[in-house]
Amino acid sequence: MIDELTRQRALDEMKILDTPRDERVDRIARLAKEMFGVPMVSVSLIDRDRQWRKTEIGLGGSEAPRQDSFCDYTVRQDRTVIIEDAADTEHFADNPFVIGDPHLRFYAGHPLHAPGGEPVGTLCVLDTEPHEFTDEQRDLLRDLAFWVQTELANDAELDHAAVIQSALRPHTHPTLPGYTIAGGAASRGRLAGDFYDLSLQGRALRITLADAMGKGTGPALIAASVRASLRTAPERTISQAIAEADRLLEEDFADTSMFVTAVHAELDPESGELQVIDAGHSLAFILRADGAWEHLRSTSLPLGMSLGLPTAEVREPRTTVLGPGDAFVCCSDGLLDVLDPDDPYAHVYRVLTTLGPDGAISEALRLAAGETATDDVTVVVVRRDA
């Protein structure tokens, strides 16, 4: 006997209900339609009083009442259910979905299970005409249902990973008298390969912005590893911290052929001295109080691409000074997609001078949600007050 409370809790914990359609699941539904020669296919999740469809073909809606539904019956049975001609069965002949819209005659459904094994939905194929259904087709339906189940589980795992990644982002920024510090990030997908970090190490401010190659789970894991490495042993110099992160990528992730571009900097708030190591990133700048731009160009390869070179020799910091009114600006390359292509520097200058650092970050994240954005957007601004 299925415990409904446990089943519902498992479905809720998957956090899939009322999410947008997913091309991976849509593709399986299209395959099922072709393989079984039916006009209707549904991936249904059985909610409290409704069946909600993650995807559907030919049914004309994302949900229907749970009561009397064939999929609810399949979930309660927790087994494959084949109805070759509903009009000839005692249990379903008077079913409202048979005598009324959509006038079903054929139904084949296999249950979908939550990660804990609870039946939460079905993959089903339907028709308004009777069908014979072979043992081979039953096995195929089961295999396709397992494929859907795997995709839905991955979907839920991605949601959990996104929550964890969000928790790792700075929720408050350090406070330094005489400085305005702002930063923000927007993921184009559910997981980002970008990250930024702002922390006080003694009296100094550590600033990090990094971008792992690619999108999705792999780059997000790499980014989290680099963030953790750079945060470990804060007494290290920024050169030592970068060297250790590079060693981590070279030794632990060599087989992935992945690399990370990064900017790691340290600001002395009293003197305004700013030491910057740019590992292949090339998107760190000083916007001077007079409107001039100073590009802190990259002097070394990305992390994970040292190619056997002595990292101590190729990752020496560049030193500059933030004067009153100067701002250190660093971003991921996703920002370039949303800036004025004719004059991105003027765009940033205009927004910073008009809105200030916090307003500029808000504007960048607003643009990151627009149609021109194609990648994650991460931005950090540290301005010395005039």
Side-chain angles (χ1 to χ4, degrees):
M1 187 73 169
I2 296 171
D3 180 52
E4 178 62 18
L5 290 177
T6 301
R7 192 202 68 80
Q8 184 67 49
R9 187 182 304 117
L11 175 59
D12 291 340
E13 288 176 354
M14 293 178 73
K15 299 186 185 302
I16 296 175
L17 290 170
D18 300 308
T19 57
R21 291 181 69 141
D22 186 318
E23 173 57 28
R24 299 168 302 171
V25 179
D26 287 351
R27 182 158 57 99
I28 301 170
R30 291 194 297 268
L31 283 172
K33 179 179 183 296
E34 295 301 319
M35 289 177 173
F36 295 110
V38 294
M40 293 174 281
V41 179
S42 178
V43 172
S44 298
L45 298 174
I46 301 302
D47 198 10
R48 291 167 177 83
D49 58 359
R50 61 173 180 157
Q51 53 176 339
W52 177 80
R53 299 170 181 136
K54 179 66 174 175
T55 191
E56 58 82 21
I57 298 172
L59 289 165
S62 62
E63 60 181 74
R66 174 179 179 177
Q67 185 177 2
D68 298 317
S69 73
F70 286 56
C71 291
D72 181 48
Y73 178 82
T74 301
V75 164
R76 292 181 185 279
Q77 296 292 311
D78 195 15
R79 61 175 177 82
T80 304
V81 172
I82 308 298
I83 303 166
E84 294 184 335
D85 187 351
D88 283 346
T89 64
E90 180 179 351
H91 188 82
F92 290 102
D94 296 327
N95 186 282
F97 293 102
V98 175
I99 61 177
D101 191 56
H103 300 284
L104 295 177
R105 295 288 295 276
F106 168 72
Y107 172 91
H110 187 86
L112 305 172
H113 296 92
E118 301 86 354
V120 293
T122 67
L123 168 66
C124 63
V125 295
L126 314 96
D127 202 344
T128 56
E129 299 292 334
H131 278 249
E132 292 184 355
F133 208 70
T134 66
D135 290 341
E136 290 77 11
Q137 287 177 312
R138 180 189 291 263
D139 292 341
L140 177 58
L141 179 66
R142 181 197 60 214
D143 292 344
L144 290 177
F146 182 75
W147 186 4
V148 171
Q149 182 176 298
T150 301
E151 295 292 0
L152 294 181
N154 288 341
D155 204 50
E157 288 175 4
L158 280 174
D159 282 338
H160 290 311
V163 169
I164 293 170
Q165 187 176 69
S166 176
L168 292 175
R169 291 175 179 163
H171 296 288
T172 59
H173 296 143
T175 300
L176 279 180
Y179 290 85
T180 302
I181 301 169
S187 305
R188 193 58 187 168
R190 269 181 286 184
L191 294 176
D194 297 359
F195 78 90
Y196 79 97
D197 200 18
L198 296 161
S199 63
L200 289 175
Q201 307 294 349
R203 66 189 184 115
L205 175 68
R206 288 276 175 97
I207 307 160
T208 306
L209 191 147
D211 186 355
M213 179 191 68
K215 297 179 178 67
T217 306
L221 291 173
I222 296 291
S225 298
V226 171
R227 176 187 180 276
S229 175
L230 292 175
R231 273 190 160 234
T232 303
E235 69 278 1
R236 297 178 303 185
T237 67
I238 58 173
S239 294
Q240 292 169 334
I242 280 288
E244 179 61 19
D246 197 24
R247 185 196 64 77
L248 171 74
L249 287 177
E250 289 284 351
E251 293 185 1
D252 294 348
F253 298 101
D255 292 341
T256 68
S257 300
M258 296 191 70
F259 61 86
V260 177
T261 67
V263 172
H264 195 43
E266 183 169 283
L267 172 68
D268 181 339
E270 292 186 9
S271 66
E273 182 180 275
L274 180 70
Q275 295 186 67
V276 181
I277 293 179
D278 189 315
H281 195 70
S282 291
L283 291 171
F285 309 86
I286 304 293
L287 174 56
R288 297 298 179 185
D290 62 2
W293 284 91
E294 179 182 340
H295 188 181
L296 305 177
R297 297 184 184 280
S298 174
T299 57
S300 62
L301 294 168
L303 304 180
M305 286 184 63
S306 63
L307 305 177
L309 296 174
T311 55
E313 295 179 12
V314 298
R315 308 233 192 263
E316 286 301 318
R318 172 176 177 171
T319 301
T320 186
V321 175
L322 281 186
D326 293 347
F328 174 62
V329 181
C330 188
C331 66
S332 62
D333 56 7
L335 183 66
L336 305 181
D337 295 332
V338 300
L339 294 177
D340 181 347
D342 295 327
D343 198 343
Y345 291 102
H347 188 176
V348 174
Y349 176 77
R350 184 172 61 252
V351 171
L352 263 176
T353 54
T354 303
L355 303 178
D358 287 316
I361 297 298
S362 296
E363 175 65 5
L365 300 186
R366 184 189 70 80
L367 293 173
E371 293 182 357
T372 59
T374 60
D375 202 353
D376 307 326
V377 173
T378 304
V379 189
V380 172
V381 179
V382 177
R383 186 180 69 187
R384 188 172 186 178
D385 300 334

